[in-house]
Amino acid sequence: MIEQLATQIKNRLNGLRPETAIILGSGLGALGDEITDSVIIPYTEIEGFPASTVAGHKGRLICGKLEGKEILCMQGRLHLYEGHRPQSINDIITAFRLLGINRLIVTNAAGSLHKDMPAGSLMLIKDHINLNLPNPLTGPDDERFGPRFPDMSDAYCAAERTHVKKLAEKLNIKLFEGVYIMAFGPCFDTAAEIRAFQILGADAVGMSTIPEVICAVHCGMKVLGISVITNLGTGLRDGVQSHTETLAEADKAGQNLRQLIKAYLREI
Ligand code: HPA
């Protein structure tokens, strides 16, 4: 399955050999449109690739050049709340590894757990809390790709974070750093859940990212994760949560994120 996915993608890449993959979160697809010399592969044209079903996620791979680097971009991700098998996420990330990808940049839209990290902020992910949600490595381990019990002590590579913090400073972009917690979704969190997440030590909450990061760490990729804060968590704000607001805020704050990712790509 993994080999079949990798072969199908490879056959469409026109000889491009990307070593970096980027997963674009809700409302953050615009970066994909800046890629040049690109090959676009809708997920529906790859046999065995699950369909993306959420508004704000185009559901296609774009491979091409950004800042002179060849990259493979998922414009639209898969969420567990869509009903995808967690193992499907492992198949995709491992197929990327087979294609030669050794670095994964994950982005997402997230709710803030602190009033002083408002909508529009960027948060570099330094660690995560998986809350015992379904793990994409469930099932027999294929030792060719990674160990049964992966170490997660440097999942969000500290050296890369130090580098990105310097880049943000140079670009005059305020970059928070914190812990991301994943809620299964698709409903937004209750106020009580938000208080619980704060007590657990999280700084931002979202419905994605952790499965992909677990898979990337398992197969030996370097990971960089950045959240775009689109709202304050339930109970920390007036008004109600909505996906429409998530998409609109992600689009606004996405400009800084794009600048930061491009600066990062220039230097790898
Ligand atoms: N909670 C969970 N996921 C989210 C949120 C939130 O407040 N905002 C964007 N994604």
Side-chain angles (χ1 to χ4, degrees):
M1 174 69 195
I2 293 166
E3 284 86 351
Q4 279 167 5
L5 281 176
T7 307
Q8 288 181 77
I9 298 169
K10 190 171 180 199
N11 289 343
R12 300 277 300 266
L13 293 189
N14 279 347
L16 290 162
R17 297 189 62 89
E19 293 185 4
T20 298
I22 305 184
I23 301 179
L24 298 173
S26 292
L28 298 169
L31 188 74
D33 299 330
E34 294 190 39
I35 297 173
T36 61
D37 307 292
S38 61
V39 175
I40 295 179
I41 317 171
Y43 298 162
T44 49
E45 292 179 11
I46 307 168
E47 203 187 317
F49 204 105
S52 181
T53 66
V54 186
H57 290 262
K58 279 193 176 154
R60 57 196 199 169
L61 294 178
I62 305 182
C63 191
K65 290 188 187 159
L66 192 60
E67 298 297 327
K69 301 289 171 355
E70 290 182 3
I71 61 167
L72 179 65
C73 181
M74 279 184 85
Q75 205 179 31
R77 62 149 51 84
L78 308 169
H79 305 85
L80 297 184
Y81 65 72
E82 292 173 84
H84 297 302
R85 290 166 54 248
Q87 292 85 352
S88 299
I89 296 177
N90 193 40
D91 292 344
I92 293 166
I93 300 292
T94 311
F96 286 180
R97 186 76 194 89
L98 276 182
L99 290 171
I101 302 286
N102 54 28
R103 188 189 299 264
L104 182 69
I105 303 172
V106 277
T107 66
N108 59 51
S112 171
L113 303 178
H114 305 290
K115 282 191 172 159
D116 59 3
M117 184 167 69
S121 305
L122 294 185
M123 187 190 89
L124 186 59
I125 305 176
K126 70 172 176 196
D127 209 343
H128 73 219
I129 299 174
N130 193 32
L131 277 181
N132 269 350
L133 294 178
N135 193 301
L137 303 179
T138 304
D141 184 50
D142 190 334
E143 292 273 342
R144 286 175 303 159
F145 302 120
R148 173 73 292 184
F149 301 106
D151 171 61
M152 296 295 287
S153 59
D154 192 31
Y156 299 84
C157 183
E160 299 300 292
R161 281 188 282 122
T162 303
H163 176 53
V164 167
K165 282 186 271 188
K166 284 186 192 143
L167 289 176
E169 215 175 295
K170 263 197 225 161
L171 293 167
N172 215 9
I173 292 174
K174 184 164 173 55
L175 185 60
F176 291 83
E177 188 174 30
V179 173
Y180 177 90
I181 192 165
M182 179 177 162
F184 193 90
C187 44
F188 281 96
D189 327 284
T190 64
E193 284 165 343
I194 292 292
R195 285 194 299 276
F197 297 159
Q198 289 171 325
I199 291 167
L200 286 174
D203 301 293
V205 55
M207 306 176 194
S208 67
T209 301
I210 292 181
E212 297 142 6
V213 170
I214 289 173
C215 300
V217 170
H218 174 250
C219 65
M221 293 184 193
K222 251 184 210 171
V223 174
L224 178 72
I226 304 177
S227 294
V228 171
I229 301 299
T230 54
N231 57 284
L232 289 177
T234 309
L236 301 177
R237 59 169 292 177
D238 297 328
V240 297
Q241 310 285 18
S242 81
H243 188 57
T244 312
E245 178 189 60
T246 299
L247 294 181
E249 290 294 330
D251 191 46
K252 275 195 252 166
Q255 206 174 337
N256 277 343
L257 178 70
R258 290 198 292 277
Q259 243 193 304
L260 191 55
I261 290 180
K262 287 196 282 185
Y264 177 72
L265 286 175
R266 274 197 292 277
E267 298 197 6
I268 56 177

